[in-house]
Amino acid sequence: MSAERPHAGETGSIGRGGTTYDPRMANLGTDFDRVVAHELELLDPRVRDAPEAVRRLLCADFTEFGSSGAVWDRETITTATVSDASERITATELRPVRIDSDTILLTYTAHRGGLKTLRSSVWVRQDDEWRLRHHQGTPCPPEAAARAHEGESQS
């Protein structure tokens, strides 16, 4: 199943390919909706340029294994997002999966310029708020991303 839908707000548009998460398919206000909305916030240049807005969405012990191979913590990623906040990132094929009542794994393909990365984010509920605990980006050629999602839809 393929869908195309713009992000909420002005964070970019979801492209073609694979099954795309559509908030209309779930009840408004669900955990999946909140996690997806927060992930899209972190891709928004306006949020990325506001260190407090980024910190608000991250756990104190946040880690990221970046697509460059760098390892980031909450403070270093907050600084890094400000330094590259001007370039728009869009997301396709967002797939939230509940790990337990307070943990959601979100996977998707990110598009930035002509590059694609496969991304995974682990969101945890802390004090009734969803915060990003861990994020990983893996660079891939466009044809590899398409093959990965085709295999999932045939399972």
Side-chain angles (χ1 to χ4, degrees), residues 32 35 95-100 103-107 121 123:
F32 284 173
V35 164
R95 291 184 178 89
V97 176
R98 186 174 296 282
I99 303 299
D100 64 31
T103 310
I104 292 174
L105 170 65
L106 177 63
T107 60
S121 294
W123 288 85

Side-chain angles (χ1 to χ4, degrees), residues 5-14 21-24 28 33 36-47 88-89 91 94:
R5 172 183 157 81
H7 294 165
E10 297 182 39
T11 58
S13 64
I14 294 177
Y21 174 77
D22 185 343
R24 295 174 298 185
L28 291 175
D33 293 329
V36 168
H38 288 331
E39 188 79 33
L40 296 177
E41 283 180 69
L42 287 169
L43 300 180
D44 186 322
R46 293 170 297 192
V47 172
R88 185 166 304 281
I89 303 169
L94 292 112

